[in-house]
Amino acid sequence: MAVVLRPLGLGDLLTGVPAIRAVRAAVPDHRLVLATTAALAPLAGLVDAVDEVLPARELEPLDWSGPPPELAVDLHGKGPASHVVVADLHPDRLLTFDSPGYPGPTWYPDEHEVRRWCRLVSEGLGVEADPDALDLAVPAVPPPVTGAALVHPGAAFPGRRWPPDRFAAVARHLADAGHDVRVTGGPAERELACAVARGAGLGEEAVLAGTTSTLELAATVAAARVVVSGDTGVAHLASAYRRPSVVLFGPVSPALWGPPPRVGPGGGALHVVLWHGDGTGDPWGTELDPALARVTVAEVTTALDHLL
């Protein structure tokens, strides 16, 4: 048995997929249990390396009743607060980043999130880890729409939310070009999505926010024509399903969290990143980050025109 800890957000789960696959390669005969949040359990089931999902909460003890696992891996953080969660399982072998009382590979703060966890597994377990192994299986549920241009205005914190009126202008541009535009989001983002749709002159049927399950959202992204979003989980879904995307960064550098450099069918970039920052912003900020505010509607629409 091998237990991997990653009870964080959607983007965190998806950026950890290559490392999870590397753990599977290191212990192919082990049953691999992924400890992640209950909300992400359906998506975790789409990772081919995972045999079982254990519902978990961030930095809380795991509800583990089985015998000590042969291997436990902390893909959560760099310090004792998360290390102790897996150490308390009393595994035969424990893999964490180096911190007091826990020897392991060195944590580098300026490392891309995907490569960081790949390196932990590669150095710690002696296997190759491919940072581009981000793909997810397509959910079995049918998407509510196929071939749509998805506009996703939400993000976890205001500092990473581009203004709704600018998203509306982008949505209007896509609709005027003949695309089937849909505005996505979670239940808490329904009002925001409706405001974007109204600003774009779209009907209520264009708003998918709050109407899709986690798997239906993933299926919709997998079947999308293009995705426009900020630095949030849906951007990572676009990477996982290799859908063309334009991603708007502000407080956080895309060198740390950006999509992989891939070439689309036409020879250009599959994922376009727009950023005017210096990496000093606050990703948990309560106000629009100045770097994100510097991204213009014209930049986004030009990037979309090139992609499409």
Side-chain angles (χ1 to χ4, degrees):
M1 186 80 72
V3 177
V4 176
L5 181 71
R6 190 87 170 152
L8 293 161
L10 173 58
D12 303 281
L13 171 64
L14 298 179
T15 53
V17 167
I20 295 168
R21 286 199 166 103
V23 173
R24 160 61 70 211
V27 289
D29 57 337
H30 286 39
R31 183 171 180 81
L32 195 151
V33 178
L34 175 62
T36 191
T37 65
L40 292 178
L43 279 181
L46 301 176
V47 182
D48 54 9
V50 173
D51 297 309
E52 180 183 340
V53 178
L54 177 66
R57 294 168 298 278
E58 187 173 359
L59 300 181
E60 293 188 18
L62 296 176
D63 185 15
W64 182 263
S65 58
E70 288 89 351
L71 172 68
V73 182
D74 181 6
L75 292 188
H76 181 284
K78 63 180 179 179
S82 60
H83 295 354
V84 71
V85 175
V86 283
D88 279 351
L89 301 179
H90 304 291
D92 295 339
R93 187 175 183 185
L94 177 66
L95 177 58
T96 71
F97 274 113
D98 181 65
S99 69
Y102 296 92
T106 302
W107 172 283
Y108 301 125
D110 58 350
E111 192 169 21
H112 191 283
E113 184 73 2
V114 174
R115 294 185 177 278
R116 167 180 293 128
W117 300 111
C118 282
R119 182 175 58 82
L120 173 71
V121 177
S122 181
E123 291 185 12
L125 300 181
V127 294
E128 293 294 324
D130 180 6
D132 199 42
L134 295 159
D135 303 75
L136 284 182
V138 176
V141 301
V145 62
T146 61
L150 303 183
V151 175
H152 188 89
F157 293 91
R160 286 183 270 148
R161 293 180 202 147
W162 204 45
D165 61 317
R166 299 192 202 178
F167 271 115
V170 170
R172 188 182 311 115
H173 176 85
L174 288 165
D176 289 346
H179 296 285
D180 179 9
V181 180
R182 305 299 175 106
V183 188
T184 56
E189 297 168 331
R190 174 85 184 173
E191 185 177 341
L192 170 62
C194 287
V196 170
R198 284 194 302 271
L202 303 174
E204 190 173 337
E205 71 281 356
V207 180
L208 297 182
T211 69
T212 56
S213 68
T214 302
L215 288 182
E216 286 171 334
L217 175 61
T220 303
V221 173
R225 177 68 184 88
V226 70
V227 177
V228 186
S229 79
D231 172 20
T232 190
V234 164
H236 297 286
L237 278 175
S239 295
Y241 291 118
R242 298 177 183 261
R243 304 314 305 148
S245 64
V246 177
V247 188
L248 286 57
F249 276 79
V252 177
S253 168
L256 302 179
W257 282 89
R262 290 172 173 161
V263 177
L270 184 64
H271 310 297
V272 177
V273 171
L274 300 175
W275 187 57
H276 301 303
D278 58 8
T280 60
D282 179 5
W284 302 281
T286 57
E287 302 290 337
L288 174 65
D289 185 81
L292 183 56
R294 287 193 285 272
V295 177
T296 68
V297 171
E299 286 180 279
V300 178
T301 56
T302 298
L304 285 166
D305 289 345
H306 283 302
L307 275 178
L308 298 171

